[in-house]
Amino acid sequence: MITEPDAAAPGRARARQIVLRSPGGALSLRLPARALLVGAVLLLAAAAIAVVNLSSGDFPIPVGDVLRSLVGQGDPGTDFIVHELRLPRALVALLVGAALGASGAVFQGLTRNPLGSPDFVGLTVGAATGALVVILLLDGSGGQVAAGAIAGCVLTSIAIYLLAFRGGTQPFRLILMGVGVSALLEAVNSYLIVKGRLDEALAAQVWLIGSLSGRGWTEVTIVALTLAALLPVVLHYGRHLNMLALGDDTATLHGVRVERSRAVLALASVGLAAGATAAAGPIAFVALAAPQLAARLTRSPGPGILPAAAMGAALLSGSDWAAQRVLPDNDIPAGVVTAAIGGLYLTWLLAREWRRGR
């Protein structure tokens, strides 16, 4: 990649930007320098937390030995613990956090609302419904549960879009329809758990909380392929988010195909949320908090997709570390930690918006 600074417009202050170009010049990506720096720092922080997770546990391993194992120079015992027992979980935390962060950034950009995230508009609840149907009614497991979660998320998103469509889609209608559909599906989920057998209901409840325990290379593959397929699409069409935030008429005047851009971004964001939920269950609040925290660090007017993805990876990796260390000899689900952190964040966010009179 070739980097070059973007010249500031004469006569007015402008944030320094960097243009990343492919060698042939066919692809380019313009990023504010501060956003690029913040994203790099967050990625390093996420990687550092992941290394700490790999080194700690019932059998502590020095960080140096972990790093040697990762580059193929470890002893057989260390390689087994790192590669087979701990690395899949650490990678799922990083990738799921990144997918949720990017998905949340797109949703908040589309809805122009800091509460617009897959958690609040019912997508993760729909994914949970699909997974519960497979677990409790079809006696499925593993890949079948993941497929059910993806199907549930996609069908829920289609239902919300169709219910909110009235000659176009408006952000407030999407959020209101999402909240309504979410409440309905929560009731369905509770009914399915009540009617299920005790052992199945317990397994389903653990999945509903969101956990990284026991995740393997299958889950890594699911979320990695999801990111590889959809993150480039989100980055390409994400350039239109700022124009869409100015209103449909203004965006149209600037050459943005409003409904097409909004539909592509929404579908890609739904896919990211579905892949993340299929791999780890409905991890709460990461998609809500990561974009806003990243925006505060980058000082940008809207949630940047790459910084939000990096923040999501750092948040979920840190939450997984806390989930394994908060209670001695008791590995609690990571979703419990993210829910606790997210609850505090949501309280602060609502109080802040209330003080602003919004």
Side-chain angles (χ1 to χ4, degrees):
M1 305 294 285
I2 301 173
T3 64
E4 62 181 30
D6 187 31
R12 60 188 176 95
R14 185 176 179 181
R16 184 177 177 83
Q17 296 192 341
I18 294 176
V19 179
L20 306 179
R21 289 197 179 100
S22 61
L27 298 175
S28 65
L29 181 64
R30 186 186 300 272
L31 293 171
R34 184 180 179 89
L36 190 61
L37 176 62
V38 169
V41 172
L42 289 173
L43 282 177
L44 289 175
I49 297 171
V51 170
V52 171
N53 286 338
L54 291 174
S55 67
S56 56
D58 293 335
F59 300 96
I61 301 173
V63 172
D65 291 346
V66 170
L67 296 177
R68 280 190 288 272
S69 178
L70 291 176
V71 297
Q73 298 179 0
D75 60 80
T78 300
D79 286 347
F80 175 76
I81 294 175
V82 171
H83 291 276
E84 299 300 326
L85 302 182
R86 296 178 182 172
L87 185 58
R89 176 171 180 161
L91 289 177
V92 169
L94 290 171
L95 295 173
V96 167
L100 290 176
S103 178
V106 173
F107 267 105
Q108 291 178 14
L110 288 175
T111 60
R112 290 168 260 170
N113 192 316
L115 296 180
S117 76
D119 310 87
F120 274 77
V121 299
L123 298 186
T124 54
V125 179
T129 303
L132 289 180
V133 168
V134 173
I135 295 172
L136 300 176
L137 301 183
L138 304 179
D139 293 326
S141 61
Q144 295 171 328
V145 175
I150 293 173
C153 186
V154 172
L155 291 175
T156 302
S157 67
I158 293 173
I160 293 171
Y161 183 84
L162 292 177
L163 289 172
F165 188 86
R166 293 293 182 276
T169 54
Q170 294 299 322
F172 76 94
R173 285 207 299 263
L174 283 172
I175 293 178
L176 290 178
M177 287 299 178
V179 171
V181 171
S182 177
L184 176 63
L185 292 178
E186 287 279 12
V188 173
N189 293 348
S190 298
Y191 176 80
L192 290 174
I193 291 177
V194 168
K195 290 299 183 180
R197 296 197 307 267
L198 179 60
D199 56 337
E200 292 177 337
L202 289 174
Q205 187 60 45
V206 171
W207 193 92
L208 281 177
I209 295 173
S211 175
L212 299 173
S213 179
R215 297 305 185 263
W217 291 106
T218 299
E219 288 78 14
V220 173
T221 302
I222 290 173
V223 69
L225 290 176
T226 300
L227 277 170
L230 297 180
L231 189 58
V233 176
V234 167
L235 291 175
H236 177 72
Y237 280 90
R239 301 173 299 172
H240 299 159
L241 281 175
N242 289 335
M243 286 297 174
L244 292 173
L246 299 176
D248 291 359
D249 293 339
T250 303
T252 301
L253 289 174
H254 283 80
V256 177
R257 301 178 66 176
V258 172
E259 287 303 324
R260 176 180 176 178
S261 297
R262 185 176 286 141
V264 171
L265 284 169
L267 288 174
S269 183
V270 167
L272 289 171
T277 305
I283 301 287
F285 286 108
V286 173
L288 173 70
Q292 292 299 312
L293 294 175
R296 297 184 186 285
L297 292 177
T298 58
R299 299 178 184 173
S300 61
I305 295 173
L306 285 179
M311 176 62 79
L315 276 178
L316 190 51
S317 293
S319 297
D320 186 39
W321 178 88
Q324 298 179 66
R325 306 290 176 268
V326 168
L327 297 178
D329 303 323
N330 191 4
D331 185 358
I332 65 176
V336 174
V337 178
T338 61
I341 296 173
L344 294 174
Y345 169 78
L346 181 60
T347 302
W348 171 83
L349 178 63
L350 292 175
R352 174 175 171 271
E353 295 298 314
W354 176 76
R355 291 192 190 99
R356 289 183 172 185
R358 297 170 62 181

